[in-house]
Amino acid sequence: MAAENTPPAMHTPAIPSMWDLDELERMPTPPLGRRALRASAVAAAWGLAILPVAMGWQRCAVAMLLHRPCPGCGMTRAILLLVGGHVEASLRMHALAVPALLMGVFLMLATVWTTLVLGTPLIPYRGLLGRMVLAGMALVYGATLVLWIARCFGYFGGPVPVY
């Protein structure tokens, strides 16, 4: 009898999880206007992400909390030194700041472009640009990790000062 009083199940369209990349790839491409709006939102999110660096806030959260340098320690200061024209000091602060900066810019461009073309920033690897950027990022950040380990053992000027 209880089954007779149960309301019929409502059918809702399947909405893919944000991380279900196979489902995202099978979804139809949204109209250009919607993709352009989404790409603008992704660009705005990247703009907010770089705001602390652009404003000159140089304090690293890892350094503030742990009082130890992380693999990226010194990158912000190195980039700001480079912008100020102090190339040698920039390279001493962090030799891989420029490649990391370039890969970051390319990642921003790739996600905005992927959003404009496909409607989502989550699958940049579908395009050649995205695959190249992801491979470059893996290479640069792998080298950053190796440099950090070497500096922990006193090579290449030792650890970056944390203040």
Side-chain angles (χ1 to χ4, degrees):
M1 281 261 169
E4 293 175 14
N5 296 334
T6 306
M10 295 184 65
H11 177 52
T12 56
I15 299 173
S17 165
M18 182 170 73
W19 301 112
D20 187 359
L21 298 181
D22 292 332
E23 186 66 28
L24 278 174
E25 289 181 353
R26 287 191 293 269
M27 289 180 60
T29 305
L32 180 59
R34 185 173 294 158
R35 287 180 292 165
L37 187 62
R38 289 178 182 176
S40 298
V42 170
W46 279 119
L48 285 174
I50 64 171
L51 187 62
V53 175
M55 297 297 292
W57 302 331
Q58 301 177 31
R59 193 69 172 141
C60 172
V62 173
M64 286 190 320
L65 294 173
L66 303 177
H67 305 289
R68 298 280 185 257
C70 69
C73 260
M75 275 199 195
T76 303
R77 290 175 278 169
I79 291 167
L80 292 173
L81 284 167
L82 186 65
V83 169
H86 307 285
V87 177
E88 186 179 334
S90 171
L91 291 173
R92 273 186 276 130
M93 185 60 70
H94 203 296
L96 296 171
V98 172
L101 173 67
L102 290 175
M103 286 295 103
V105 168
F106 286 140
L107 178 66
M108 290 178 211
L109 293 174
T111 55
V112 171
W113 178 254
T114 302
T115 306
L116 185 61
V117 172
L118 301 174
T120 178
L122 299 177
I123 47 177
Y125 58 84
R126 283 192 55 194
L128 179 61
L129 173 66
R131 287 193 300 271
M132 289 173 43
V133 168
L134 292 173
M137 293 211 48
L139 182 68
V140 168
Y141 285 109
T144 300
L145 186 61
V146 169
L147 177 62
W148 175 67
I149 292 169
R151 283 182 156 187
C152 286
F153 288 102
Y155 297 103
F156 302 105
V160 174
V162 177
Y163 45 82

